[in-house]
């Protein structure tokens, strides 16, 4: 196993673990998470609970897929999109001077600060690497570029 | 010339990017379905449209929980306490250190709920001598003071009070803030 494959494996396991760890407290306390979302003052009030009910489950599935290597590029893509949205929401809240709970790993006691945004950006880099390194497949791709358990996409010329 | 897929790839999109997008949509869809099912079955389920007024938040609490809420102090009470300089009163700012440095109530100490254990340790002995503790944050929707009040109660401090108006009410009343790391 090459160093790159090991790094890629650790990245997706780490990223998956973070997504699972972030989702569980929100699943256990949807009311608290809905207050977290409401305090960002981004979504209209009547959409807040719908997001609080569904988003943690998407996070959980993404995390489990990353850990299991199942639908890896799809999971990495979902992670990228969600991390971009989270980072934008946190940056917006900080720019508006809101002093609120982040709602990142716990539903209380985690104040929003610049370090949370840096953490999200680091996760975003990891997600992009997981997406890229799990994508190149086929006869021309190096062994290190694919660590998915998904069947590789190989086409052969026909007649 | 045509392209023929391997047998194992039949039924899958020939474009990897498209397949990733389809998988991502599937994950989101399944997540939404799991969320809907879990919310319907869980005793912790919440209504699809929430009411976020303070009255609703209190109405959703049990009688026991209501008894546990820290008593709220009004602006006038805090103004009197600050002016008196009571040595057995501690005023605690629950916000991040950088917010505290930018401006805090005169005499207030910073006890950020982020890394609470680290911030609490050096203040523990002092706070245990106090017969009254007032906590605050920005006011409005800021919940940091609520979190701090609950944490202090769990540490055994009994007379913890919440200045819900916080920095917003203080400055709106024309009161001045103290800048820097010193109380």
């Amino acid at each position: 196993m090459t160093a790159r494959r090991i790094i890629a494996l650790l990245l997706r396991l780490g990223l998956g673990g973070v997504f699972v760890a972030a989702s569980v407290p929100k699943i256990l306390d949807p009311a608290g998470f809905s207050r977290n979302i409401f305090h960002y003052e981004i979504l209209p009030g009547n959409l807040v609970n719908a997001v609080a009910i569904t988003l943690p489950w998407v996070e959980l599935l993404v995390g489990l897929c990353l850990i299991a290597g199942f639908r890896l590029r799809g999971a990495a893509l979902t992670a990228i999109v969600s991390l971009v949205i989270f980072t934008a929401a946190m940056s917006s809240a900080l720019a508006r001077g809101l002093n609120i709970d982040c709602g990142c790993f716990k539903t209380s006691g985690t104040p929003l600060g610049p370090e949370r945004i840096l953490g999200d950006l680091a996760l975003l880099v990891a997600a992009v690497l997981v997406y890229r390194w799990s994508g190149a497949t086929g006869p021309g791709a190096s062994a290190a570029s694919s660590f998915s358990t998904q069947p590789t996409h190989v086409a052969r010329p026909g007649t | 010339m045509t392209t023929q897929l391997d047998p194992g790839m039949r039924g899958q999109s020939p474009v990897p990017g498209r397949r990733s997008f389809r998988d991502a949509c599937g994950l989101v869809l399944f997540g939404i379905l799991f969320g809907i099912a879990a919310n319907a079955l869980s005793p912790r389920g919440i209504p699809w449209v929430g009411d976020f007024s303070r009255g609703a938040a209190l109405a959703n609490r049990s009688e026991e929980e209501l008894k546990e809420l820290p008593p709220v102090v009004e602006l006038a009470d805090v103004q009197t306490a600050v002016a008196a300089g009571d040595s057995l009163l501690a005023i605690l700012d629950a916000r991040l250190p950088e917010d505290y440095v930018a401006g805090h109530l005169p005499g207030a100490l910073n006890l950020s709920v982020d890394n609470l254990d680290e911030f609490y340790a050096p203040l523990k002995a002092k706070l245990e001598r106090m017969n009254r503790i007032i906590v605050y944050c920005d006011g409005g929707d800021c919940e940091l003071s609520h979190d701090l009040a609950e944490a202090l109660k769990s540490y055994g401090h009994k007379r913890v009070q919440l200045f819900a108006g916080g920095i917003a009410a203080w400055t709106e009343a024309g009161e001045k803030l103290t800048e820097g790391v010193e109380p």
Side-chain angles (χ1 to χ4, degrees), chain B residues 74-158:
Chain B
E74 299 300 326
L75 171 67
D77 193 8
V78 180
Q79 286 172 315
T80 306
V82 168
D86 184 350
S87 62
L88 293 177
L89 162 72
I91 301 176
L92 299 180
D93 188 319
R95 301 172 304 157
L96 293 168
E98 52 264 39
D99 295 325
Y100 174 84
V101 169
H104 54 267
L105 266 62
L109 300 167
N110 188 206
L111 184 48
S112 171
V113 286
D114 198 15
N115 297 321
L116 184 60
D117 292 338
E118 181 192 328
F119 279 84
Y120 178 71
L123 292 175
K124 182 173 184 287
K126 180 173 184 169
L127 293 179
E128 282 173 347
R129 290 198 301 272
M130 300 293 157
N131 61 15
R132 188 181 174 203
I133 297 173
I134 295 175
V135 298
Y136 73 90
C137 53
D138 274 342
D141 288 325
C142 172
E143 287 197 330
L144 303 179
S145 53
H146 294 256
D147 296 339
L148 178 58
E150 285 184 20
L152 288 172
K153 288 186 85 173
S154 73
Y155 290 162
H157 296 283
K158 298 204 184 327

Side-chain angles (χ1 to χ4, degrees), chain A residues 28 30 38-39 48-49 53 57 61 65 71 73-75 78 99 101 109 111-112 116 150 152-153 155-156 158-159, chain B residues 2 4 6 9 14 19-20 23-24 27 31 35 38-39 44 47-48 50 52 95-96 99 114 138 141 143-144 147:
Chain A
L28 295 177
F38 175 73
H39 289 150
V48 167
N49 276 17
I53 289 167
W57 286 92
L61 281 185
C65 285
R71 303 289 177 191
R73 289 198 91 204
T78 314
N99 203 337
D101 268 321
L112 176 62
R116 307 272 179 210
Q150 290 302 293
T152 51
H153 177 223
R156 65 171 182 243
T159 52
Chain B
T2 60
Q4 186 181 347
D6 271 359
M9 295 302 297
R19 199 174 119 206
S20 309
D23 285 350
L27 273 174
N39 191 60
R44 295 192 182 99
W48 280 87
F52 295 96
R95 301 172 304 157
L96 293 168
D99 295 325
D114 198 15
D138 274 342
D141 288 325
E143 287 197 330
L144 303 179
D147 296 339

Side-chain angles (χ1 to χ4, degrees), chain A:
Chain A
M1 184 178 273
T2 64
R4 187 168 155 183
R5 282 193 81 162
I6 293 171
I7 293 169
L9 178 67
L10 292 176
L11 276 179
R12 77 171 170 85
L13 291 179
L15 187 65
V18 168
F19 266 75
V20 171
S23 68
V24 172
K26 300 169 193 168
I27 288 172
L28 295 177
D29 183 16
F33 185 45
S34 72
R35 282 197 298 277
N36 291 149
I37 298 173
F38 175 73
H39 289 150
Y40 274 86
E41 299 176 9
I42 292 174
L43 285 177
N46 52 7
L47 284 182
V48 167
N49 276 17
V51 174
I53 289 167
T54 54
L55 180 61
W57 286 92
V58 175
E59 280 185 301
L60 180 66
L61 281 185
V62 167
L64 292 176
C65 285
L66 287 169
I67 291 170
F70 179 71
R71 303 289 177 191
L72 194 49
R73 289 198 91 204
L77 182 61
T78 314
I80 291 169
V81 172
S82 52
L83 286 166
V84 167
I85 293 171
F86 297 159
T87 306
M90 288 194 286
S91 305
S92 158
L94 271 187
R96 285 176 286 142
L98 298 181
N99 203 337
I100 57 177
D101 268 321
C102 168
C104 301
F105 287 93
K106 293 188 291 179
T107 52
S108 67
T110 52
L112 176 62
E115 71 282 358
R116 307 272 179 210
I117 294 176
L118 292 177
D120 252 26
L121 288 174
L123 291 174
L124 184 57
V125 170
V128 169
L129 289 176
V130 169
Y131 182 81
R132 285 179 62 87
W133 289 352
S134 63
T137 58
S142 72
S145 64
S146 175
F147 58 100
S148 169
T149 58
Q150 290 302 293
T152 51
H153 177 223
V154 181
R156 65 171 182 243
T159 52

Side-chain angles (χ1 to χ4, degrees), chain B residues 28-43:
Chain B
V28 172
L29 182 63
F30 272 105
I32 290 171
L33 292 176
F34 276 124
I36 292 170
N39 191 60
L41 297 173
S42 167

